[in-house]
Amino acid sequence: MIRREAIRWLMLAPLVACARGAGADDPAGLQRFAFTEPHMGTLFQLVLFAPEPAAAQAAAQAAFARIAELNRSLSDYDPASEVSRLGRAPAGTAVPVSPELLKLLQRSQTLAARSGGAFDVTLGPLVRLWRESRRTGRLPATDARVQARQVSGHALLALDAKASTVTLGRSGMQLDLGGIAKGFAADEALAVLRRHGFSRAMVAASGDLALGDPPWGKAGWTVELAPFGPGSGSPVVLVVANAGVSTSGDTEQHVEIEGVRYSHLIDPATGLGRTESVAVTVIANDATTSDALATTCSLLQPEQIRPLLAAEDTAVRTLVFTRSADGVAQRTLYGRDPSGLVSRP
Ligand code: ADP
Ligand code: MG
């Protein structure tokens, strides 16, 4: 995750087309403001309703600053980040970590356990090898894959919540929070906008949306999903407020090697990209949850999704899109609607 080189906003547009909202006839006289900045290898867009431009701008600046701060801690691209430094720690040493990193690692370890290791933030070495394969169009060499697997696996990561430390089981491990960090950053940016008094606001980071109170006169933000792009049937329309919506899938990020289509998500069983073509949208109370669960559900078999969602403390709705023979998206629903999901098909 957290690629510097790839700005994927436009490429991802077919996946989660947009979250729309107009603020016409707002009795409080609020106007709509939108701001966009590149962060974490994608574009973050903020939309908020505010009485005047200066206040909106100040809030947006603070929200973008929070995203940049999180990236300095969570990026696996930045060798100076907290995550990268942690990866250089010798095995068996308890390393103090920030509250944010601890929280994300706790959430990730819970998901790793519940998903039988399908979601695993310790797959960093394999993710790196796979990025190289996606670039070169060649499968990783077997010995490189064996080596990477020796320093991967969630059982090698020990957390001490009380002491706020992390201990790696092997030297040479690398954490990759690409499946959860963007949703968390969107939640944190929305929280900043709320603290500035702007609760009618939303944050979009390509496939991850953190949605606050809806625009005046609306029941929610309209989110359009076209899981397999144009020509895959009419878009699926959701109306959502005060919730996170994330989409994960291989539509925009896949590679074909020797006639096989692989996803950018790593199957821990093989150490290679997944070969099933699915797109998954998750609606949850917050975008940290929706992001992590969208990645996880993309990696699971259908029968594994229901128990995973049932283990969550709060209601979560998952839409899994598969492609029928004619290329049209077919959807299957799992879980329960969270209160923020105002309407869905
Ligand atoms: P996107 O990057 O399109 O928003 P996701 O939220 O699904 O998509 O996250 C994909 C990223 O998750 C990958 O780029 C990689 O950094 C990381 N990742 C890949 N495989 C796994 C896995 N099995 N478990 C956890 N994270 C993974
Ligand atoms: Mg994700």
Side-chain angles (χ1 to χ4, degrees):
M1 74 129 183
I2 310 193
R3 287 158 295 262
R4 291 250 164 102
E5 72 271 22
I7 302 296
R8 294 188 294 116
W9 173 259
L10 288 173
M11 281 163 38
L12 265 162
L15 220 58
V16 171
C18 54
R20 281 191 276 113
D25 305 324
D26 183 338
L30 299 185
Q31 304 165 50
R32 180 185 189 277
F33 294 92
F35 304 88
T36 304
E37 274 189 15
H39 291 276
M40 295 187 164
T42 189
L43 289 184
F44 274 73
Q45 187 191 28
L46 315 178
V47 173
L48 63 145
F49 291 89
E52 44 91 22
Q57 186 117 35
Q61 248 171 31
F64 285 133
R66 177 67 180 142
I67 298 167
E69 178 182 52
L70 287 173
N71 192 53
R72 282 194 293 276
S73 162
L74 306 176
S75 170
D76 56 294
Y77 278 83
D78 176 358
S81 75
E82 192 181 11
V83 157
S84 299
R85 277 187 280 120
L86 179 60
R88 293 193 291 271
T93 308
V95 180
V97 293
S98 65
E100 287 87 354
L101 181 54
L102 182 73
K103 177 186 148 157
L104 286 187
L105 291 178
Q106 282 176 311
R107 186 80 183 96
S108 300
Q109 289 293 80
T110 302
L111 264 184
R114 288 180 185 167
S115 67
F119 183 89
D120 189 340
V121 294
T122 71
L123 298 179
L126 288 164
V127 172
R128 286 190 177 199
L129 269 186
W130 191 238
R131 268 185 212 148
E132 183 68 10
S133 289
R134 287 166 60 203
R135 212 170 49 76
T136 60
R138 282 197 305 272
L139 291 179
T142 309
D143 53 343
R145 202 155 27 117
V146 169
Q147 271 176 21
R149 292 185 74 165
Q150 278 167 357
V151 287
S152 300
H154 62 98
L156 295 173
L157 188 69
L159 308 181
D160 184 337
K162 252 205 182 129
S164 196
T165 60
V166 175
T167 305
L168 304 180
R170 304 232 166 99
S171 298
M173 289 175 64
Q174 271 160 16
L175 303 184
D176 179 335
L177 294 165
I180 188 169
K182 220 149 30 79
F184 180 60
D187 280 335
E188 290 284 300
L190 184 63
V192 170
L193 298 181
R194 282 186 171 132
R195 280 202 294 278
H196 277 72
F198 304 123
S199 56
R200 291 191 190 281
M202 68 124 198
V203 180
S206 59
D208 299 299
L209 308 173
L211 304 169
D213 289 343
W216 174 257
K218 302 265 183 181
W221 302 85
T222 302
V223 179
E224 290 184 4
L225 310 171
F228 299 115
S232 61
S234 29
V236 172
V237 179
L238 311 173
V239 179
V240 193
N242 293 306
V245 180
S246 294
T247 299
S248 182
D250 74 339
T251 311
E252 305 304 325
Q253 292 205 71
H254 62 266
V255 62
E256 206 172 299
I257 304 177
E258 292 161 23
V260 180
R261 180 193 165 104
Y262 294 95
S263 147
H264 70 311
L265 296 178
I266 300 289
D267 182 348
T270 61
L272 301 175
R274 282 284 286 220
T275 50
E276 283 92 351
S277 177
V278 293
V280 174
T281 296
V282 172
I283 306 103
N285 280 355
D286 56 74
T288 312
T289 305
S290 60
D291 185 8
L293 285 175
T295 304
T296 311
C297 292
S298 304
L299 288 155
L300 294 179
Q301 297 304 319
E303 67 278 8
Q304 298 172 294
I305 295 178
R306 226 174 290 280
L308 177 80
L309 300 184
E312 287 290 316
D313 299 335
T314 57
V316 176
R317 175 62 79 191
T318 291
L319 288 75
V320 175
F321 298 92
T322 49
R323 233 186 272 253
S324 64
D326 54 2
V328 172
Q330 306 286 306
R331 67 171 177 271
T332 315
L333 299 180
Y334 299 88
R336 296 180 289 135
D337 287 342
S339 56
L341 181 52
V342 181
S343 86
R344 59 167 171 81

